[in-house]
Amino acid sequence: METKRSPKNIFVQGQISPESIAKSIANHSTKTDIGGHSIFLGQVRADEKEGGKVTAIEYTAYEEMALEKAFEIREAVFAKYPLSCMHIYHSLGEVKVGEICLFVFTSSKHRKAAIDACEELVERIKKEVPVWGKELIDNEGSVWKENL
Amino acid sequence: METKRSPKNIFVQGQISPESIAKSIANHSTKTDIGGHSIFLGQVRADEKEGGKVTAIEYTAYEEMALEKAFEIREAVFAKYPLSCMHIYHSLGEVKVGEICLFVFTSSKHRKAAIDACEELVERIKKEVPVWGKELIDNEGSVWKENL
Amino acid sequence: MPKLEPMTPTSIHVIAFGMIAEKIKTKELVLEYMPDTEVLLGYLYQQFPDLKQTKFSIALNKKMVVGKTFIPVGAEVALLPPFSGG
Amino acid sequence: MPKLEPMTPTSIHVIAFGMIAEKIKTKELVLEYMPDTEVLLGYLYQQFPDLKQTKFSIALNKKMVVGKTFIPVGAEVALLPPFSGG
């Protein structure tokens, strides 16, 4: 029997390292009912802005609300798709251009559930979780990020 | 100007290691126009079969045709979506339960193109690339894998 | 549980994030109690005219609210600019 | 370029994969030249009756063909069971 899940932390300080992603993947090799993993990674872009180029994004969040919301999304997506596993990590603080700031990871017996659930999670996280990115510009200015 | 692409090898002997996936992700940190990566990983399942449990899959391929086909799919998907990068790796030989046998990796400025292209690649690879999996059973028998 | 120990029941605890915190130059305000979000908005626009040009939402006790909404005594009121995570 | 050095122009080079190679107990056949895929299938079903119960496709020079298709001299003919990669 599944025990009741409670909100878990999704935030990591600074970038999400490729090594930690590899570790997360490797941790699933003992789950031998998994046939497919779907992963989304958000990476900080060096966008051109008025007055300069983005060099990093500084993330802040309304943490308690974000964790509650992430938990709510997590439960809804678990209820909708036959998933074996789901992991969500988002950066807080400064993440430099080229570094990973979002890691969404779903696993299921057959590929379709993992792929669809991962996409839905990414959309919902960007839309519903109270996190803000401030793009730091190489002229020492900054611009509040806007999600498309 | 983009130079003409030619077929590149997609095959790796045995499993695709989490470390090689991490390396592949890390290689993209210098491509600062990338905002999103989508990754699909196929993992070998310990399915129950008549007479026993799957312990590994042994992959063979019509290699020359597979590389031509993978190239054709690659070009078509590059033409359809605004992608920065695309990588496809498939195992040959024996891959044990819990190990990764397929790694599809797409990157783009905005997430949608990467996500859609990755899904389309996975579907087309499974359907159109001449690769066969033979499921090895713990009673020393084997069953030819069938794709859903 | 809202973190309200130092406040009297007649006050209202407002927290601000991102661009809103920048515009009002603080991440926290303790105001006289106000009965609903319309009264609160009226006060905020009066006090910080810059906010009129800024899109933001209000959450009460970590739930988004839309339109005129009663503010429970002791509620944590949050001013949230459009989310831009990921 | 097909790998045909040891063959005469009147022969046909057939390669088999997966379950088909298992059923015909070889990965390669060199046969007398046959003009089209229907004649080839007739011969294969005659020689290897097991194949009648087995789904497979034919590729000529690495392109899938459907229905009766002319076999060019020197073509590489491949017998391909349903793909199951990934």
Side-chain angles (χ1 to χ4, degrees):
Chain A
M1 282 287 289
E2 183 96 32
T3 54
K4 190 156 164 39
R5 288 181 285 254
S6 59
K8 53 180 194 176
N9 195 17
I10 65 166
F11 291 115
V12 299
Q13 201 57 38
Q15 72 156 320
I16 296 160
S17 71
E19 294 70 34
S20 69
I21 296 166
K23 211 174 153 191
S24 193
I25 294 167
N27 282 344
H28 290 75
S29 66
T30 52
K31 303 213 172 185
T32 59
D33 59 330
I34 292 175
H37 304 287
S38 186
I39 293 175
F40 178 82
L41 303 173
Q43 182 169 303
V44 175
R45 281 197 316 269
D47 280 1
E48 292 287 347
K49 298 282 165 175
E50 251 182 89
K53 226 181 195 172
V54 173
T55 57
I57 295 181
E58 195 187 321
Y59 287 102
T60 53
Y62 182 4
E63 291 189 46
E64 303 91 326
M65 182 177 162
L67 296 185
E68 276 186 18
K69 196 71 203 178
F71 178 65
E72 185 189 316
I73 294 170
R74 191 181 158 76
E75 292 297 290
V77 172
F78 255 125
K80 185 167 171 187
Y81 300 97
L83 297 178
S84 309
C85 281
M86 183 196 302
H87 303 278
I88 301 169
Y89 297 99
H90 197 298
S91 294
L92 283 185
E94 198 174 313
V95 182
K96 293 190 183 64
V97 153
E99 292 180 342
I100 306 291
C101 56
L102 174 62
F103 172 28
V104 179
F105 185 10
T106 53
S107 311
S108 57
K109 187 167 185 189
H110 300 290
R111 66 188 177 282
K112 187 81 180 135
I115 290 172
D116 291 350
C118 187
E119 180 168 10
E120 186 164 329
L121 280 170
V122 172
E123 295 306 319
R124 291 195 63 178
I125 290 163
K126 291 202 166 228
K127 204 171 155 196
E128 300 174 39
V129 178
V131 174
W132 298 275
K134 187 184 199 170
E135 296 171 322
L136 308 181
I137 313 294
D138 55 8
N139 66 357
E140 298 179 10
S142 68
V143 181
W144 287 98
K145 179 170 177 277
E146 283 177 58
N147 277 0
L148 296 180
Chain B
M1 282 287 287
E2 183 98 28
T3 54
K4 190 156 163 38
R5 288 180 285 254
S6 59
K8 53 180 192 174
N9 194 17
I10 65 166
F11 291 115
V12 299
Q13 201 58 38
Q15 72 154 320
I16 297 160
S17 71
E19 294 69 34
S20 69
I21 296 166
K23 212 173 153 188
S24 193
I25 294 167
N27 283 344
H28 291 75
S29 66
T30 52
K31 304 214 171 185
T32 59
D33 59 330
I34 291 175
H37 304 287
S38 187
I39 293 174
F40 178 81
L41 303 173
Q43 181 168 305
V44 175
R45 281 196 315 268
D47 280 1
E48 293 287 347
K49 299 281 165 177
E50 252 182 87
K53 226 181 195 173
V54 172
T55 58
I57 294 180
E58 195 187 320
Y59 288 102
T60 52
Y62 182 5
E63 290 189 47
E64 303 91 327
M65 180 176 163
L67 296 184
E68 276 186 18
K69 196 71 204 177
F71 179 66
E72 186 190 316
I73 293 170
R74 193 182 155 76
E75 292 297 290
V77 172
F78 255 126
K80 185 167 171 187
Y81 300 97
L83 297 178
S84 308
C85 283
M86 183 196 303
H87 302 278
I88 300 169
Y89 298 99
H90 197 298
S91 295
L92 283 185
E94 198 174 312
V95 182
K96 292 191 186 63
V97 152
E99 293 180 342
I100 307 291
C101 56
L102 174 62
F103 173 27
V104 179
F105 186 10
T106 53
S107 310
S108 57
K109 187 167 184 190
H110 300 290
R111 67 188 177 281
K112 187 82 181 135
I115 290 172
D116 292 349
C118 186
E119 180 168 10
E120 186 164 329
L121 280 170
V122 172
E123 296 305 320
R124 291 196 62 179
I125 290 163
K126 291 202 165 229
K127 206 172 154 195
E128 300 174 39
V129 178
V131 174
W132 297 275
K134 187 185 200 172
E135 295 170 323
L136 309 181
I137 314 294
D138 55 7
N139 67 355
E140 297 178 10
S142 69
V143 181
W144 288 98
K145 179 171 176 277
E146 283 178 57
N147 276 359
L148 297 180
Chain C
M1 284 272 292
K3 299 171 295 187
L4 287 171
E5 297 80 350
M7 292 168 49
T8 70
T10 53
S11 67
I12 171 173
H13 185 210
V14 178
I15 53 179
F17 294 90
M19 183 191 286
I20 303 298
E22 254 181 29
K23 294 217 171 185
I24 70 174
K25 295 185 178 61
T26 181
K27 290 181 177 180
E28 255 181 296
L29 290 169
V30 178
L31 307 176
E32 293 288 306
Y33 178 73
M34 294 180 203
D36 64 55
T37 51
E38 261 185 19
V39 176
L40 173 66
L41 278 176
Y43 170 81
L44 292 170
Y45 288 149
Q46 188 72 26
Q47 203 69 5
F48 311 103
D50 264 12
L51 288 187
K52 282 183 216 163
Q53 278 80 54
T54 312
K55 217 185 135 194
F56 66 97
S57 306
I58 295 179
L60 296 181
N61 292 328
K62 306 183 190 76
K63 302 283 172 209
M64 303 288 269
V65 296
V66 179
K68 180 175 171 172
T69 307
F70 170 72
I71 302 176
V73 170
E76 181 172 88
V77 181
L79 309 179
L80 310 175
F83 307 157
S84 56
Chain D
M1 286 274 289
K3 300 170 293 184
L4 288 171
E5 296 80 349
M7 293 167 49
T8 71
T10 53
S11 67
I12 170 172
H13 184 209
V14 178
I15 52 178
F17 293 90
M19 184 191 286
I20 303 298
E22 254 180 29
K23 294 217 172 187
I24 69 175
K25 295 186 176 59
T26 181
K27 290 182 175 178
E28 255 182 298
L29 290 169
V30 178
L31 307 176
E32 293 289 305
Y33 179 73
M34 294 180 204
D36 64 53
T37 51
E38 262 184 21
V39 177
L40 173 66
L41 278 176
Y43 170 82
L44 291 170
Y45 288 147
Q46 188 71 29
Q47 203 69 6
F48 311 104
D50 264 13
L51 288 187
K52 283 183 214 162
Q53 278 82 54
T54 312
K55 219 185 135 195
F56 65 97
S57 306
I58 296 179
L60 296 180
N61 291 329
K62 305 183 191 79
K63 302 284 172 208
M64 303 288 269
V65 296
V66 178
K68 180 175 170 172
T69 307
F70 169 72
I71 301 177
V73 170
E76 181 172 88
V77 181
L79 309 180
L80 310 175
F83 307 157
S84 56

